[in-house]
Amino acid sequence: MNNENPPGLLTGHSLVSCIGDLSLQDHDDLTDSTQIATRSADMVYSRFLDSTEWLDEYVSTLHFLGWSVFQDAIVTRKRSGLSRSVADFLVQSAQAMPDTRQGNAMIDTLDALKYNEPALFSLDEQSLMGQRFQAIPARYDEKGVLTIAVFNLELVAYTKKSSFLFWDWEGHAAAIIQQRAYLKLDKKKLESNRAIIERKVREIKMKKFDLRKNKQ
């Protein structure tokens, strides 16, 4: 049995990739926070019809739980054409971040997801085959603070494909619309909300899939 935390995970419509090993507590806190924020936003907005308002509520919930927003809060909507697959787009976006290791972490996470059929089916179902989904690169900064980027994404295409992340969209006039936000974990604030987090998590029935690097 592997007791180490996986470098990536999928929960709901959110794909998380991590540089290195997060501590067990940080791994659980990130997962719990993501699930709570998703449920909170889903209760007041449709992620498919009201994406901007949904993301505002999602980030507000994370902030309440103990994640401080930085780098100008939420970056406005940006549209990018797809020349290959969504997976390639996610890797390129991660590689463009200040810590270039996040590109390799995203590759490992996507490689593990590609061969996990239950996780792929769940992502298709939760995202309506890419209509709304999230990618969340996570890492410790130079001070050891856990930081995340939340990429809120929409696949715009005339057709729907299962395993949409890995479909080659060249020639299909497909595009990605994205918004993003950057957050840092304030452990003292989160710890003060520990009882609330534990209670909320018990109320949530959201699947989680650990994604480990494919060693084949």
Side-chain angles (χ1 to χ4, degrees):
M1 181 178 291
N2 191 338
N3 292 320
E4 294 181 355
N5 285 324
L9 67 95
L10 174 73
T11 183
H13 71 313
S14 298
L15 180 67
V16 180
S17 64
C18 309
I19 294 177
D21 292 331
L22 301 187
S23 71
L24 178 60
Q25 189 64 67
D26 286 346
H27 180 273
D28 290 345
D29 287 341
L30 174 55
T31 304
D32 293 346
S33 297
T34 298
Q35 291 184 343
I36 293 169
T38 297
R39 187 189 187 207
S40 176
D42 282 346
M43 289 177 68
V44 290
Y45 296 107
S46 166
R47 76 174 81 128
F48 303 104
L49 300 177
D50 311 300
S51 61
T52 298
E53 293 84 357
W54 186 95
L55 183 59
D56 284 340
E57 179 66 24
Y58 181 91
V59 171
S60 294
T61 302
L62 288 178
H63 184 262
F64 169 79
L65 294 176
W67 296 83
S68 59
V69 183
F70 70 105
Q71 291 192 9
D72 299 322
I74 298 175
V75 178
T76 55
R77 290 162 63 91
K78 178 182 177 181
R79 185 185 181 101
S80 303
L82 274 179
S83 58
R84 297 179 65 185
S85 70
V86 178
D88 289 331
F89 175 84
L90 294 181
V91 171
Q92 292 169 3
S93 297
Q95 288 173 332
M97 297 181 71
D99 191 332
T100 56
R101 295 177 301 162
Q102 292 189 287
N104 290 332
M106 184 62 72
I107 289 172
D108 289 345
T109 299
L110 290 166
D111 181 62
L113 175 62
K114 188 173 184 178
Y115 299 100
N116 189 322
E117 292 185 4
L120 282 174
F121 178 81
S122 181
L123 179 59
D124 282 345
E125 183 180 52
Q126 291 294 319
S127 70
L128 296 185
M129 295 187 181
Q131 189 171 332
R132 287 292 187 282
F133 65 104
Q134 292 190 149
I136 306 178
R139 71 181 182 101
Y140 292 117
D141 67 13
E142 63 279 359
K143 296 181 179 179
V145 176
L146 181 58
T147 68
I148 60 173
V150 177
F151 290 89
N152 188 262
L153 304 158
E154 173 187 357
L155 172 61
V156 181
Y158 291 108
T159 186
K160 298 294 183 183
K161 294 290 184 181
S162 59
S163 300
F164 69 91
L165 282 180
F166 303 102
W167 182 264
D168 188 348
W169 292 96
E170 185 176 5
H172 287 77
I176 286 285
I177 296 176
Q178 65 170 315
Q179 296 168 282
R180 66 182 185 271
Y182 299 95
L183 302 100
K184 292 185 177 183
L185 178 58
D186 182 337
K187 290 189 176 183
K188 289 184 178 180
K189 184 176 180 181
L190 187 139
E191 198 59 43
S192 70
N193 289 314
R194 179 69 62 191
I196 296 175
I197 292 171
E198 291 177 350
R199 174 167 53 83
K200 292 292 185 183
V201 167
R202 288 195 295 268
E203 298 171 356
I204 296 174
K205 305 298 183 183
M206 191 179 297
K207 293 181 179 178
K208 185 189 80 168
F209 299 88
D210 290 341
L211 301 174
R212 301 186 187 279
K213 184 177 180 179
N214 185 355
K215 297 180 179 180
Q216 294 182 344

